[in-house]
């Protein structure tokens, strides 16, 4: 598989783009000849030049600058699909980013996450609701994902961090570009323990209107569900709501007064089937496999240390299963296994009669005689 430098290179190739790169990566071609064989001509020509004559390739200057930025601080990392911290849920979306520039605490990707979005012009009640839900989620061991935008986004992320929780901000420009400018303090806080800045754009990339709708697919793709706190009828948050449905994420909305223009978007979502929430328990009731706080989970099993002769009955993956369905992406996050390895082990457990698929994930089955 490509190295981190080669993933950087792939993300810089002309005529490919995130969707095209994701489609090629799904084929798992051999590096580099397999990639060259399936690439569009423009991208293949640029890659061949870099492979044969890197000093003559204009890509070399960009790659050197990218690597220099990463080397400036130990908390700057290039995430790619082969990186151990790559968020497994992104594999479930139609056009995952080829790479993610990360700045901050990668531990912010460890707990289950809920995306919180809303209007940039919230009411006082909307701001209070954003802060209240974010603090309650942090106290339950959940992380908050948002876009560091004005209004609801920033209020939710700030409240989660102040409560000692974790928050991930997905930006519409480079990870080093502070936008909006008034969020300099929040940008700095997100680089401290518990916070993380993510972007699919290289450092120095200025925000552009076209980047923000695409940014939203990563916000929702990182999360198990999406909570719309307050939104007008034409709010950009409704784009996130649509993406949640397309990605199979649970959609939640906070109700508001029919006389409040900033609540009409949420009311429309509720009319169309979003889950009405009054408090955090309403959310966790819809996501039972994720309801336990991080601190209450069992110690992480050393899954990769199991001897080759072990049977499925001995697989430590069983420690993470119960009679409540647990999604595969949750198991991947909890165990640190790759998606492929997790699925292989689940199949072995199913053949042994120790686990089985159910609506919403996988469950542990009782052993013969009814014992667990």
């Amino acid at each position: 598989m490509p190295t981190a430098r080669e993933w950087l290179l792939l993300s810089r190739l002309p005529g490919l783009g995130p969707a095209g790169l994701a489609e090629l990566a799904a084929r798992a071609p051999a590096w580099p000849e397999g990639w060259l064989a399936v690439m569009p001509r423009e991208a293949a020509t640029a890659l061949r030049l870099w492979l044969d004559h890197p000093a003559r390739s204009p890509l070399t200057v960009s790659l050197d600058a990218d690597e220099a930025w990463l080397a400036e601080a130990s908390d700057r990392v290039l995430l790619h699909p082969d990186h151990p911290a790559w968020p497994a849920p992104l594999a479930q979306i139609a056009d995952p980013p080829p790479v993610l520039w990360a700045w901050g605490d990668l531990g912010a990707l460890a707990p289950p996450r809920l995306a919180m979005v809303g209007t940039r012009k919230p009411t006082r009640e909307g701001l209070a609701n954003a802060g209240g839900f974010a603090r309650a989620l942090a106290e339950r061991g959940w992380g908050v994902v948002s876009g560091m935008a004005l209004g609801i986004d920033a209020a939710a992320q700030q409240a989660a961090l102040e409560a000692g929780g974790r928050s991930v901000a997905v930006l519409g420009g480079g990870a080093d570009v502070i936008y909006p400018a008034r969020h300099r303090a929040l940008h700095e806080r997100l680089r401290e323990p518990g916070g993380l800045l993510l972007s699919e754009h290289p450092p120095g990339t200025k925000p552009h209107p076209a980047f923000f709708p695409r940014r939203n697919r990563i916000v929702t793709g990182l999360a198990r569900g999406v909570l719309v706190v307050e939104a007008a009828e034409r709010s950009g948050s409704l784009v996130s709501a649509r993406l949640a449905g397309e990605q199979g994420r649970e959609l939640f909305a906070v109700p508001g007064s029919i006389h409040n223009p900033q609540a009409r978007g949420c009311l429309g979502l509720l009319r169309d089937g979003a889950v009405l929430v009054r408090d955090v328990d309403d959310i966790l009731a819809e996501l039972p496999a994720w309801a336990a706080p991080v601190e209450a989970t069992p110690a992480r099993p050393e899954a990769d240390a199991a001897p080759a002769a072990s049977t499925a009955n001995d697989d430590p993956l069983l420690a993470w299963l119960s009679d409540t369905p647990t999604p595969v992406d949750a198991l991947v996050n909890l165990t640190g296994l790759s998606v492929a390895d997790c699925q292989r082990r689940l199949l072995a457990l199913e053949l042994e009669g120790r686990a089985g698929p159910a609506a919403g994930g996988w469950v542990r089955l009782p052993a013969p005689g009814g014992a667990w």
Side-chain angles (χ1 to χ4, degrees):
M1 293 298 292
T3 64
R5 180 173 175 82
E6 289 156 357
W7 275 111
L8 265 180
L9 173 67
L10 288 168
S11 70
R12 288 282 195 175
L13 290 176
L16 202 53
L21 181 50
E23 181 181 348
L24 296 183
R27 304 186 195 181
W31 177 264
E33 296 303 326
W35 283 88
L36 286 165
V38 295
M39 277 181 182
R41 177 173 296 182
E42 183 182 9
T45 300
L47 176 56
R48 175 55 71 190
L49 175 62
W50 183 84
L51 290 169
D52 295 344
H53 306 285
R56 291 167 47 191
S57 170
L59 293 170
T60 299
V61 174
S62 297
L63 296 180
D64 289 345
D66 292 342
E67 291 184 324
W69 185 85
L70 290 167
E72 285 180 3
S74 60
D75 58 353
R76 296 178 181 180
V77 179
L78 180 78
L79 297 178
H80 51 83
D82 298 321
H83 192 286
W86 182 258
L90 291 180
Q92 302 170 350
I93 70 176
D95 53 347
V99 297
L100 284 171
W101 299 83
W103 191 3
D105 180 6
L106 290 180
L109 293 170
R113 298 173 294 275
L114 190 80
M116 290 184 62
V117 298
T119 178
R120 288 173 169 80
K121 298 178 180 179
T123 63
R124 183 177 300 179
E125 181 182 22
L127 287 174
N129 286 336
F133 275 98
R135 283 188 291 273
L137 286 165
E139 291 166 0
R140 300 294 188 93
W142 281 66
V144 168
V145 186
S146 202
M148 210 182 84
L150 295 171
I152 296 298
D153 286 25
Q157 298 198 275
Q158 187 69 45
L161 294 169
E162 289 176 351
R166 295 175 177 178
S167 186
V168 178
V170 185
L171 306 183
D176 59 336
V177 178
I178 301 172
Y179 182 85
R182 71 179 70 175
H183 282 170
R184 178 173 297 277
L186 179 56
H187 190 276
E188 293 174 355
R189 177 61 186 87
L190 283 160
R191 305 196 306 261
E192 297 174 358
L196 182 65
L197 299 163
L198 291 178
S199 176
E200 64 179 323
H201 305 287
T205 302
K206 301 299 183 184
H208 186 279
F211 295 163
F212 292 100
R214 290 192 55 77
R215 179 269 313 270
N216 293 346
R217 84 191 194 285
I218 303 175
V219 171
T220 56
L222 287 169
R224 181 65 182 88
V226 178
L227 173 62
V228 184
V229 177
E230 192 173 58
E233 284 185 303
R234 297 185 181 275
S235 172
S237 302
L238 302 186
V239 174
S240 297
R242 175 180 57 79
L243 289 168
E246 294 174 355
Q247 296 172 350
R249 274 46 174 171
E250 297 288 346
L251 179 61
F252 307 94
V254 178
S257 169
I258 61 173
H259 304 295
N260 176 11
Q262 298 293 61
R264 295 189 66 82
C266 287
L267 293 174
L269 293 175
L270 293 169
R271 178 196 59 205
D272 294 338
V275 177
L276 185 152
V277 296
R278 302 158 298 176
D279 53 40
V280 73
D281 290 328
D282 287 337
I283 296 173
L284 300 186
E286 297 294 323
L287 305 171
W290 297 72
V294 173
E295 293 78 9
T297 56
R300 177 169 169 162
E302 296 296 332
D304 293 330
S310 295
T311 67
N313 287 331
D314 302 319
D315 196 318
L317 190 62
L318 282 170
W320 299 101
L321 295 174
S322 67
D323 57 354
T324 299
T326 303
V328 172
D329 58 347
L331 292 171
V332 167
N333 280 336
L334 291 168
T335 63
L337 296 170
S338 68
V339 174
D341 198 17
C342 188
Q343 291 174 333
R344 177 181 61 79
R345 292 180 184 223
L346 287 170
L347 177 59
L349 289 169
E350 183 180 17
L351 293 174
E352 291 278 349
R354 303 297 285 119
W362 284 74
V363 295
R364 185 174 180 178
L365 302 177
W372 285 93

